[in-house]
Amino acid sequence: MIIHAASFYSHCKFLSLILLFGFFSFSSSSSTNTLSLNPYHQQDSTFNVSEQGNAGRVEQRLARARAAIREAVRTQRYLSNKNESFVPRSSIYRNVYAFHQSHIEMRKRFKVWVYREGDDPIFHNGPMKDIYSIEGQVIDELDTSGKSPYSAHSPDEASVFFLPFSVTKAVLYLYPIPRAHYQRYHLQNVVTDYISIISHKYPYWNRSRGADHFFIGCHDWGPDVSAASPLLYRNVIRVLCNANTSEGFNPTRDATLPEIKIQVESLEIPSLGQSPGNRSIFAFFAGGNHGDVRSLLFESWYNKKDTDIQVHSYLPENLNYYDLMGRAKFCLCPSGWEVASPRVIESIYAGCVPVIISDNYVLPFSDVLDWTRFSIHIPVADIPHIKTILKKVSYNDYLQKQKLLKDVQRHFTIHRPAQPFDLLDMVFHSIWLRRLNLKILGT
């Protein structure tokens, strides 16, 4: 189902191609699958003739990409003849043929234009280490380094347009400590003013009403950027760590940004996982008791005599967090103040089956990855029954999930510059999908 820009949010009660993955929703009314189009039509395109020509070429390239993916799904074949270093074949994927072809098309056709306006410290850079570091890594990959194969040489060839501000840096420089009770309008005003500048200087925001534009935010306040002016931001692609559907995250438009805690010394996450036979801890959690979900977890399992479910507060210095994860069969991943946590990715690297304890979290790359294959979801209300639920997982099922974590690790490894199918590349693929699901009429 293709979303037309002007009707993007006035008519959102449909099944998106993104959510069904293979990316497209297919009708079964004929012997061959057909791409289902959104019936609502934009009536007020704002393209002029010269803009129409450039944008039209972009739309033609996207149309060819959709057709190639559709053909791969229809034939259930890998259509590329290239000598590729990696071809997705694992059961962790929702549709290996669609994903494979989509990635090929992305490498050929996806181009990002980064607006040059804006100054340090809020624009064109972000944190490069610690908990919100994915913000800075994406900004640096697309903007500062200039090495990304997805960088557009001119805005006229761009598939999407990047608003290069860092929510984390904005919070750091706009708000004195403590920041928790400050109103968010300072942050919102800066970004809104920025959009006003670029929309007056260039035609690109206005012609799509922002639908082919995106920003990223891993800070907890990321969703608040758009809260002050829902009409202005109703179409823009928000790439957020705080991917909480109860707070307005919409997976048909928004994309989940994986939260990853990058160490000072290296981009790599420690991998200390033991073999399944050497995992002596049944289920493990260590972290702060903050937020309603963790409060219930601590109330149910902290300092209990039952040692199968080990729930710790912050660990003393003589205990190694990653070592304990590597010795656990299941790693509990409850939401904290917000739904996202680096613990999910840390669990994957430790070979510890993630147990997602959240009711509203849209997991990273879930339009491509089938998380049921390698993780377990437990509703918040069932926290008191964690042991009963996990004990019902057969040993064979556990072994299968644990084995598949090896396949998943590729997609949560970060390289600079980005490499095909790694974490940054998968973030770009998430944005590519949302752009692929959009047709700007008048082109």
Side-chain angles (χ1 to χ4, degrees):
M1 181 172 295
I2 299 177
I3 304 168
H4 298 288
S7 60
F8 194 93
Y9 277 98
S10 57
H11 307 284
C12 60
K13 294 182 180 179
F14 50 77
L15 289 177
S16 166
L17 59 84
I18 294 170
L19 296 179
L20 294 181
F21 199 36
F23 312 120
F24 302 103
S25 60
F26 291 104
S27 67
S28 56
S29 57
S30 63
S31 58
T32 59
N33 292 325
T34 57
L35 183 61
S36 175
L37 299 178
N38 180 24
Y40 304 105
H41 186 81
Q42 176 176 335
Q43 300 295 330
D44 54 346
S45 173
T46 58
F47 290 78
N48 64 35
V49 174
S50 61
E51 293 163 356
Q52 181 174 346
N54 292 325
R57 285 190 287 272
V58 172
E59 289 301 325
Q60 289 171 6
R61 291 196 292 268
L62 293 174
R64 288 193 288 269
R66 296 185 194 106
I69 299 169
R70 198 163 45 210
E71 181 67 9
V73 173
R74 185 188 69 81
T75 61
Q76 298 288 283
R77 292 193 299 114
Y78 295 100
L79 301 181
S80 174
N81 294 321
K82 295 180 180 179
N83 183 20
E84 298 168 277
S85 60
F86 173 74
V87 175
R89 300 184 188 276
S90 172
S91 62
I92 64 172
Y93 304 109
R94 295 185 179 276
N95 188 314
V96 292
Y97 305 105
F99 177 42
H100 176 248
Q101 193 63 40
S102 176
H103 192 271
I104 290 172
E105 299 302 321
M106 178 181 74
R107 298 288 292 184
K108 290 192 295 186
R109 309 182 194 280
F110 186 54
K111 293 297 179 183
V112 182
W113 176 257
V114 183
Y115 286 108
R116 308 306 188 202
E117 289 70 21
D119 297 320
D120 291 344
I122 294 174
F123 294 87
H124 301 287
N125 70 66
M128 299 296 286
K129 61 184 180 181
D130 216 340
I131 193 167
Y132 299 131
S133 56
I134 190 64
E135 263 190 35
Q137 295 292 337
V138 172
I139 292 172
D140 189 65
E141 179 74 15
L142 290 175
D143 188 358
T144 308
S145 69
K147 296 179 180 179
S148 173
Y150 303 122
S151 295
H153 297 295
S154 75
D156 288 334
E157 69 171 357
S159 314
V160 292
F161 298 81
F162 181 34
L163 306 169
F165 61 87
S166 167
V167 179
T168 302
K169 287 294 186 77
V171 172
L172 177 64
Y173 285 97
L174 294 177
Y175 298 87
I177 297 174
R179 295 183 290 270
H181 302 294
Y182 281 75
Q183 298 296 319
R184 312 295 164 85
Y185 66 84
H186 297 297
L187 166 66
Q188 295 161 343
N189 288 345
V190 166
V191 180
T192 300
D193 288 348
Y194 184 73
I195 292 174
S196 177
I197 290 171
I198 63 170
S199 65
H200 281 85
K201 187 173 182 179
Y202 305 103
Y204 309 108
W205 175 279
N206 294 326
R207 74 182 184 188
S208 69
R209 302 183 183 180
D212 53 358
H213 287 59
F214 73 96
F215 72 86
I216 64 168
C218 196
H219 192 278
D220 294 352
W221 292 11
D224 293 320
V225 168
S226 55
S229 183
L231 184 62
L232 175 66
Y233 293 95
R234 68 175 182 171
N235 297 332
V236 71
I237 301 167
R238 305 181 305 166
V239 188
L240 304 172
C241 286
N242 189 10
N244 189 338
T245 57
S246 71
E247 297 178 0
F249 184 89
N250 186 337
T252 64
R253 171 196 66 172
D254 303 324
T256 304
L257 188 64
E259 191 165 296
I260 179 171
K261 189 172 183 178
I262 295 177
Q263 306 298 324
V264 177
E265 301 83 4
S266 171
L267 292 175
E268 295 182 3
I269 300 173
S271 180
L272 302 173
Q274 301 294 317
S275 64
N278 290 331
R279 292 180 178 262
S280 57
I281 302 172
F282 183 67
F284 170 78
F285 170 84
N289 181 5
H290 51 78
D292 295 339
V293 177
R294 293 193 189 179
S295 293
L296 181 56
L297 179 68
F298 273 72
E299 177 185 334
S300 301
W301 297 104
Y302 183 66
N303 274 343
K304 302 297 181 182
K305 293 181 179 179
D306 190 336
T307 58
D308 279 341
I309 309 297
Q310 295 191 18
V311 172
H312 304 268
S313 186
Y314 295 111
L315 293 171
E317 291 184 359
N318 63 320
L319 294 178
N320 185 288
Y321 174 74
Y322 296 108
D323 176 62
L324 291 172
M325 270 191 155
R327 290 162 46 198
K329 291 183 172 67
F330 298 100
C331 284
L332 308 182
C333 303
S335 296
W337 292 122
E338 304 297 347
V339 292
S341 167
R343 188 171 284 99
V344 176
I345 299 177
E346 291 165 349
S347 300
I348 290 171
Y349 263 80
C352 182
V353 175
V355 180
I356 312 298
I357 307 175
S358 175
D359 291 340
N360 305 298
Y361 184 31
V362 179
L363 290 159
F365 317 140
S366 53
D367 34 24
V368 170
L369 300 177
D370 183 353
W371 281 79
T372 65
R373 297 284 188 173
F374 53 89
S375 69
I376 293 171
H377 174 254
I378 294 181
V380 172
D382 286 336
I383 286 177
H385 312 297
I386 286 175
K387 182 175 178 179
T388 301
I389 293 169
L390 294 181
K391 287 290 185 180
K392 288 182 179 178
V393 178
S394 71
Y395 189 61
N396 286 337
D397 286 346
Y398 161 74
L399 288 178
Q400 181 64 16
K401 290 180 184 293
Q402 203 267 349
K403 180 181 179 182
L404 289 175
L405 290 177
K406 297 290 186 182
D407 296 337
V408 181
Q409 287 177 358
R410 172 187 296 273
H411 302 307
F412 291 97
T413 302
I414 187 166
H415 300 99
R416 295 300 315 279
Q419 297 179 11
F421 298 102
D422 75 354
L423 189 147
L424 291 180
D425 199 60
M426 292 291 285
V427 170
F428 301 145
H429 186 261
S430 295
I431 299 165
W432 157 254
L433 284 187
R434 275 113 189 118
R435 179 61 180 92
L436 203 62
N437 199 29
L438 167 74
K439 178 165 174 39
I440 300 175
L441 297 182
T443 58

